[in-house]
Amino acid sequence: MTSKEHKDLRKKVAQLVIVRASGHAFDNQRQFPKWELSNEKLKILLQEGVGGVILYGGTVSEIKQRCHTLRGWAQQSILLCADVEEGLGQRFQGGSWLIPPLGVGKIYERSPEKAVELAERYGISTGSQARRCGLNWVLAPLCDINTNPFNPVINVRAWGEDPLTVSALASAFK
């Protein structure tokens, strides 16, 4: 493999990688320094072609500025995402923090039409707030089926225990 082919392959692989970073602008504000890259390392990786960043923490105004800064550091278009299946407020102060999806799933049991309408509004709210903050990839809705109510990871983040409920509500999230 030639040096140029090696560099091209390295760039292609880098585009597939999403790294974790703080939503705060300064390194001393990182809440999880073991998992969130320093600004220096993040800038280097973005300049080398890393495909995106998943953000945690901060306020909605900080996220807007952070997204702008990260785009400036990158040499190409990047994905900027957040794990926000309960609304932007789940990760960023000032955003709407909605009831857990399981709450909408419980409404579905009694009133499917109302729950589907709520799930659609839920998605519209989350998407529009994310867009205003500069995020271009919303890691939602969660499509897992809550098969174990004691699972601390999935639990109330799922729309329900029934595949049809989860399917209907996840599909309505727009």
Side-chain angles (χ1 to χ4, degrees):
M1 182 181 302
T2 68
S3 177
K4 182 182 179 341
E5 289 171 332
H6 183 267
K7 285 181 184 178
D8 290 345
L9 179 59
R10 183 176 167 87
K11 276 205 177 257
K12 286 178 183 179
V13 170
Q15 289 174 348
L16 300 173
V17 175
I18 306 293
V19 296
R20 178 177 172 150
S22 172
H24 298 288
F26 302 105
D27 286 339
N28 65 350
Q29 296 174 294
R30 290 182 295 160
Q31 294 173 329
F32 303 100
K34 287 185 178 183
W35 300 325
E36 297 167 348
L37 295 170
S38 69
N39 283 332
E40 179 183 347
K41 289 179 182 175
L42 186 56
K43 186 175 183 178
I44 290 167
L45 288 174
L46 287 170
Q47 289 172 345
E48 289 179 352
V50 163
V53 179
I54 182 170
L55 295 163
Y56 290 91
T59 66
V60 291
S61 58
E62 284 178 299
I63 289 301
K64 186 173 185 173
Q65 182 58 47
R66 185 72 157 155
C67 288
H68 177 77
T69 298
L70 296 174
R71 281 190 179 90
W73 289 347
Q75 303 295 312
Q76 71 289 330
S77 294
I78 57 172
L79 292 170
L80 296 167
C81 59
D83 184 16
V84 290
E85 68 273 351
E86 293 180 21
L88 230 60
Q90 179 183 1
R91 300 286 178 220
F92 311 113
Q93 284 183 332
S96 295
W97 196 338
L98 307 170
I99 65 166
L102 188 59
V104 179
K106 292 299 180 188
I107 293 169
Y108 188 87
E109 293 172 5
R110 294 180 310 263
S111 180
E113 300 82 19
K114 183 172 182 85
V116 166
E117 179 188 338
L118 285 171
E120 184 175 340
R121 290 174 43 203
Y122 204 111
I124 290 168
S125 170
T126 301
S128 65
Q129 286 183 29
R131 196 175 309 114
R132 283 195 304 271
C133 289
L135 298 170
N136 57 12
W137 186 16
V138 171
L139 301 177
L142 188 74
C143 296
D144 290 346
I145 298 165
N146 191 26
T147 58
N148 177 359
F150 300 107
N151 181 334
V153 176
I154 303 304
N155 203 332
V156 299
R157 295 168 61 192
W159 296 101
E161 296 86 13
D162 172 55
L164 295 176
T165 300
V166 173
S167 175
L169 296 175
S171 295
F173 186 100
K174 295 180 182 177

